[in-house]
Amino acid sequence: MVTALSSRDQTHPVANHLDHGAFRAVDSDGVIDLDAAERAVRDLLRSFGRDIDSEHLADTPRRVAYALAEVLTPASFELTTFPNDEHYDELVLVREITFRSLCEHHLLPFTGVAHVGYLPADRILGLSKFAWVVRHFAADLQTQERLTMQIADWLDEHLQPKGVGVVIEADHQCMSPRGVQADGARTLTLAVRGSLRHDGRSRQEFFTLAAPQR
Ligand code: ZN
């Protein structure tokens, strides 16, 4: 079974978000208006009293527009699942999937790792695909809470496993440089579905294996 996961997928919750906010879509395919973004960055620098004609800043608006567009553009991929012919019925856990995202409240990066697990039913997922799913949803204006739930819900819907669990540990730049939170403090979020939510033994096993190891 192959499921396309791309920015053109109309059923995908991320697909049409570019209609809103600072990165206005110019057509229904969610194309980012780079020229408008560049003008906006130039205005932003001006509003901070910066000389945008200086050698250092002259090309900054273009670089910022492209950098943001890159962070906010999810990569397309084909999600291939396979029949669970061997009837594997224990936890599959992929730990330490690195990602970067952009906090929608401050437009500052947050980065971290995701630990994604599931209890298979009829289909299994290629292990490398977990990183694609995490990074696909991270390529957006995000909150850590929403990112965690989107990954869990998407796997729950498309893999239809017995259970899904997602733990995310992340560092938010919008907190540490402003002194709200000490450097090194991490935010932990989790989302569990199916038997990883309701079955005590499965839940305990998932959290033991997915817990931060330090
Ligand atoms: Zn923030």
Side-chain angles (χ1 to χ4, degrees), residues 65-144:
Y66 276 81
L68 282 173
E70 190 189 329
V71 171
L72 295 173
T73 302
S76 301
F77 74 101
E78 304 265 288
L79 186 92
T80 311
T81 62
F82 303 95
N84 185 13
D85 289 336
E86 282 75 34
H87 306 291
Y88 180 88
D89 62 357
E90 294 291 344
L91 185 69
V92 177
L93 178 68
V94 182
R95 286 183 50 87
E96 308 279 341
I97 300 167
T98 56
F99 72 89
R100 62 178 184 186
S101 190
L102 204 59
C103 153
E104 73 176 359
H105 298 141
H106 302 91
L107 297 187
L108 286 169
F110 67 97
T111 55
V113 291
H115 315 298
V116 181
Y118 76 113
L119 271 174
D122 296 334
R123 311 290 301 182
I124 56 174
L125 182 63
L127 294 178
S128 67
K129 300 301 183 185
F130 288 93
W132 279 103
V133 175
V134 169
R135 288 169 191 161
H136 180 89
F137 285 104
D140 199 1
L141 293 178
Q142 271 292 12
T143 66
Q144 186 175 331

Side-chain angles (χ1 to χ4, degrees), residues 19-213:
D19 292 338
H20 310 288
F23 302 95
R24 184 171 55 84
V26 293
D27 61 35
S28 57
D29 288 336
V31 176
I32 294 169
D33 186 342
L34 285 166
D35 291 337
E38 197 174 323
R39 285 194 299 275
V41 175
R42 196 171 291 121
D43 287 344
L44 181 69
L45 288 168
R46 267 199 208 100
S47 71
F48 279 87
R50 305 296 159 149
D51 174 12
I52 57 163
D53 296 320
S54 80
E55 207 175 321
H56 292 291
L57 287 181
D59 205 27
T60 295
R62 186 192 61 81
R63 282 192 295 260
V64 171
Y66 276 81
L68 282 173
E70 190 189 329
V71 171
L72 295 173
T73 302
S76 301
F77 74 101
E78 304 265 288
L79 186 92
T80 311
T81 62
F82 303 95
N84 185 13
D85 289 336
E86 282 75 34
H87 306 291
Y88 180 88
D89 62 357
E90 294 291 344
L91 185 69
V92 177
L93 178 68
V94 182
R95 286 183 50 87
E96 308 279 341
I97 300 167
T98 56
F99 72 89
R100 62 178 184 186
S101 190
L102 204 59
C103 153
E104 73 176 359
H105 298 141
H106 302 91
L107 297 187
L108 286 169
F110 67 97
T111 55
V113 291
H115 315 298
V116 181
Y118 76 113
L119 271 174
D122 296 334
R123 311 290 301 182
I124 56 174
L125 182 63
L127 294 178
S128 67
K129 300 301 183 185
F130 288 93
W132 279 103
V133 175
V134 169
R135 288 169 191 161
H136 180 89
F137 285 104
D140 199 1
L141 293 178
Q142 271 292 12
T143 66
Q144 186 175 331
E145 295 87 339
R146 187 196 304 130
L147 174 63
T148 310
M149 291 192 292
Q150 283 177 332
I151 296 164
D153 289 338
W154 198 91
L155 288 170
D156 196 31
E157 182 184 338
H158 289 85
L159 209 51
Q160 302 198 324
K162 291 177 183 155
V164 173
V166 178
V167 173
I168 291 184
E169 308 170 54
D171 301 306
H172 291 252
Q173 284 190 20
C174 58
M175 299 176 78
S176 47
R178 298 186 307 143
V180 179
Q181 177 178 304
D183 273 348
R186 299 196 115 186
T187 304
L188 201 74
T189 48
L190 52 99
V192 279
R193 304 286 183 264
S195 58
L196 293 191
R197 184 182 183 95
H198 301 295
D199 178 72
R201 191 190 70 82
S202 299
R203 183 183 173 90
Q204 183 61 46
E205 182 177 59
F206 171 71
F207 284 125
T208 300
L209 294 171
Q213 295 176 351

